[in-house]
C-alpha cells in the first residue's frame, strides 16, 4: 500500500492511498476506526447480505442442483470475508517489522469477535429472550412475568440441533490446539511445522463445514419450518373469522376472550372441555391451506408446544385462551395494524405469512423458476463483488487507524482491536440475534443461537487460517500463544456448556458475561506474569 507522509501537522501521519484522512490524536483515530467500522457494517448489510439473499432466492439453497451447491458453499465464507480481509491487511502492510507490529490487530480482531459473540452477544440473547420456566424446566413461549432478576425462574430453551451446532463449533478449535502444541510442550514457540499444519487444517475444516451446510442445511430448513408454522397460525386465526364467530380483537386491539372461547367450544367436538391431538388434527385438515405442503402431525405437535403449558398432552380452556392471546399479539406486531382491528387485519397477517413461506420454500429437487434468472444472478454477484471490494479497499486504512490509536493511547493494538473492532464489525449479528430473541419463542432462540455458533465457527477457521498463513509466509516471529489460548478456552467452555443442554436459566447469561473480562485478565497474566509474549 502507498503511504505518503503529510506535513500539515507537527507530528506527521501516513495518509493511506495518498488522500484518506489521518491523525495522530487518540480521539481522531477513534473516530476513523468507528467510521471505517460503520462503513463495513453498512456494506455487509447492504451488499453482501442483499446479494447472498438474492442469489439464494434465484438459485436455491441446499440440494438445489450444482449451482445451489456452489452458492451454499460460498455463503458462509462470504459472511466471514470482512474479518478475513482485515486479518490479511494487518499482516501485508509495509516491511516485516511493521507487519510484526500490526499483525496484532488481526489477532485482536479474531479473538475479540469470537469472544464477543460467545460472551456478550450470547448473554444478551438469553437476557433479551427470557421467558418463564415451566415445571418441566422448559421456557414457556412468550410468557415473561418473572421480572429482570429472577435468575432461576426465567430463561430460554433451544432445540437439539442447536446443541449439535455448538458441538461442531467446539470441535473446530482443533487448529488452535495444534498451533499451541509447541508452547504447551515447551518447544521453541512458533515452530514452522505446527503453524503450517494448523493452517492447512483450518482451511480444510472451513471447506468441510461449508460442504456440511450443503447436505445438512439445518438453519435454512428451520427457517422454512418456522414460516410454515406461522402460516398455520394465521390460517387458524383466519378460519375463526370465517366461521362468523365474531372479531378476535376488540376495537382497542385487545384479544376478544368471548370469541376465543366460542372457538374453543367449536373445536371441542366431544365437549369434555379439553382439546386432544385428534381434535387439533381435524381442525387443521378442515382448513384450506391452498397448496402449502406440511406435515399435519408436526403442526399438531407445534400447537401443543405453544398451548399445553401443563404438559398433560391436552389443551384446556384457559390454556387455549392464553395461547390465542399470544398468537394474536404476535400477529399484531407482525402486521403493525392501526385503528380498528377487523377481518382485514387477520387476512393481512395470513397473506404476510404466506409470502414469507414462499420466499423460503425451495424444493429439494427443483427450484421454482424466477423471471429472467440470468439478470438476477448477475445482479446478485455484482452486489457481492461490491460487498467484497469495499471492505478490501478500507481494510488497510482501518488497520492503520487502529495501530495509530494504539500508539496514541499507549495501549496494545491487540487490546484496542479486541474491544473496539467487534463492536462495529459484528453489529449486524448483534442486531439480528437480539431481534430474533425478542420474539421470546423457542424456535427463534434456536435459530438466533445457531447463527451465532455458525458465525463463530466460520470466522475462527477462515481468520485463523489467514493469520497463520501470514505468519508462515512472512516468517513473522511467533508471539501469539496467550491470544490463541483464550480463544480456545472460551470456545471449549461455551461449546461444552451449550452442547449437552437445551434449557438455559437466566443465570447462564452471567456465566457468559464473566468470560469476557476474564479472557482479557488471562491474557494480561500470561504475558506479564508468565512472559508468554
Amino acid at each position: 500500500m502507498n503511504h505518503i507522509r503529510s506535513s500539515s501537522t507537527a507530528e506527521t501521519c501516513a495518509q493511506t492511498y495518498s488522500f484518506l484522512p489521518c491523525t495522530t490524536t487518540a480521539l481522531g483515530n477513534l473516530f476513523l476506526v468507528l467510521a471505517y467500522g460503520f462503513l463495513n457494517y453498512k456494506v455487509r448489510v447492504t451488499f453482501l447480505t442483499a446479494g447472498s439473499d438474492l442469489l439464494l432466492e434465484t438459485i436455491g439453497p441446499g440440494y438445489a442442483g450444482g449451482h445451489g451447491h456452489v452458492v451454499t458453499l460460498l455463503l458462509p465464507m462470504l459472511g466471514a470475508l470482512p474479518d478475513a480481509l482485515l486479518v490479511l491487511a494487518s499482516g501485508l502492510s509495509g516491511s516485516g517489522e511493521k507487519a510484526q507490529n500490526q499483525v496484532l490487530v488481526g489477532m485482536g480482531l479474531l479473538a475479540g469477535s469470537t469472544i464477543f459473540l460467545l460472551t456478550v452477544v450470547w448473554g444478551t440473547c438469553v437476557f433479551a429472550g427470557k421467558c418463564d420456566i415451566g415445571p418441566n424446566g422448559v421456557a414457556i413461549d412468550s410468557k415473561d412475568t418473572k421480572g429482570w432478576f429472577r435468575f432461576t425462574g426465567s430463561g430460554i430453551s433451544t432445540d437439539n440441533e442447536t446443541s449439535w451446532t455448538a458441538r461442531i463449533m467446539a470441535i473446530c478449535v482443533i487448529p488452535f490446539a495444534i498451533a499451541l502444541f509447541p508452547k504447551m510442550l515447551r518447544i521453541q514457540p512458533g515452530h514452522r511445522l505446527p503453524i503450517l499444519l494448523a493452517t492447512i487444517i483450518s482451511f480444510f475444516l472451513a471447506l468441510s463445514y461449508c460442504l456440511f451446510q450443503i447436505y445438512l442445511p439445518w438453519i435454512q430448513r428451520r427457517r422454512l419450518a418456522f414460516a410454515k408454522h406461522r402460516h398455520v397460525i394465521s390460517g387458524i386465526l383466519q378460519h375463526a373469522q370465517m366461521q362468523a364467530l365474531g372479531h378476535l380483537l376488540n376495537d382497542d386491539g385487545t384479544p376478544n376472550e368471548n370469541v376465543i372461547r366460542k372457538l374453543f367450544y367449536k373445536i371441542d367436538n366431544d365437549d369434555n372441555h379439553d382439546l386432544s391431538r385428534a381434535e387439533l388434527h381435524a381442525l387443521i385438515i378442515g382448513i384450506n391451506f391452498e397448496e402449502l405442503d406440511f406435515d399435519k402431525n408436526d403442526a399438531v405437535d407445534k400447537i401443543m408446544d405453544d398451548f399445553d403449558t401443563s404438559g398433560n398432552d391436552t389443551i384446556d380452556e384457559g390454556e387455549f385462551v392464553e395461547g390465542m392471546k399470544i398468537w394474536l399479539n404476535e400477529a399484531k406486531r407482525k402486521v403493525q395494524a392501526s385503528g380498528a382491528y377487523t377481518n382485514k387485519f387477520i387476512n393481512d397477517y395470513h397473506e404476510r405469512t404466506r409470502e414469507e413461506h414462499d420466499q423460503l420454500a425451495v424444493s429439494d429437487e427443483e427450484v421454482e423458476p424466477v423471471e429472467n434468472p440470468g439478470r438476477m444472478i448477475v445482479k446478485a454477484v455484482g452486489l457481492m463483488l461490491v460487498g467484497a471490494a469495499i471492505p478490501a479497499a478500507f481494510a488497510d486504512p482501518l488497520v492503520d487507524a487502529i495501530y495509530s490509536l494504539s500508539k496514541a493511547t499507549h495501549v496494545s493494538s491487540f487490546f484496542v482491536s479486541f474491544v473496539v473492532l467487534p463492536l462495529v464489525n459484528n453489529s449486524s449479528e448483534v442486531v439480528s440475534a437480539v431481534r430474533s430473541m425478542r420474539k421470546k419463542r423457542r424456535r427463534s432462540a434456536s435459530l438466533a443461537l445457531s447463527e451465532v455458533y455458525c458465525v463463530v465457527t466460520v470466522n475462527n477457521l477462515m481468520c485463523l487460517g489467514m493469520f497463520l498463513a501470514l505468519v508462515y509466509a512472512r516468517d513473522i516471529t511467533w508471539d501469539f500463544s496467550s491470544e490463541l489460548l483464550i480463544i480456545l478456552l472460551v470456545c471449549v467452555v461455551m461449546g461444552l456448556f451449550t452442547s449437552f443442554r437445551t434449557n438455559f436459566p437466566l443465570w447462564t447469561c452471567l456465566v457468559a458475561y464473566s468470560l469476557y473480562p476474564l479472557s482479557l485478565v488471562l491474557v494480561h497474566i500470561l504475558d506479564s506474569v508468565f512472559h508468554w509474549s
Side-chain angles (χ1 to χ4, degrees), residues 94 106 177 236 372 386:
I236 293 174
N372 199 348
V386 173

Side-chain angles (χ1 to χ4, degrees), residues 26-147:
L27 286 177
N29 280 296
L30 178 61
F31 173 79
L32 290 177
V33 169
L34 294 176
Y36 292 140
F38 180 74
L39 177 63
N40 276 344
Y41 162 73
K42 293 297 292 182
V43 166
R44 184 177 298 193
V45 173
T46 305
F47 295 103
L48 278 178
T49 302
S52 61
D53 287 348
L54 180 59
L55 199 57
L56 268 177
E57 183 180 341
T58 305
I59 297 178
Y63 293 101
H67 293 299
H69 290 332
V70 175
V71 173
T72 312
L73 178 66
L74 293 178
L75 289 182
M77 295 183 179
L78 285 172
L81 185 62
D83 287 356
L85 290 172
L86 278 174
V87 172
L88 184 65
S90 70
L92 287 179
S93 301
S95 63
E97 181 181 356
K98 184 177 181 181
Q100 180 74 47
N101 293 328
Q102 287 198 350
V103 79
L104 271 176
V105 174
M107 176 52 67
L109 170 63
L110 171 57
S113 294
T114 295
I115 295 172
F116 179 74
L117 288 169
L118 290 180
T119 60
V120 177
V121 175
W122 193 94
T124 303
C125 283
V126 175
F127 199 76
K130 72 180 185 68
C131 298
D132 295 353
I133 294 178
N136 57 356
V138 178
I140 303 171
D141 283 356
S142 302
K143 186 178 181 182
D144 183 19
T145 63
K146 297 292 181 66

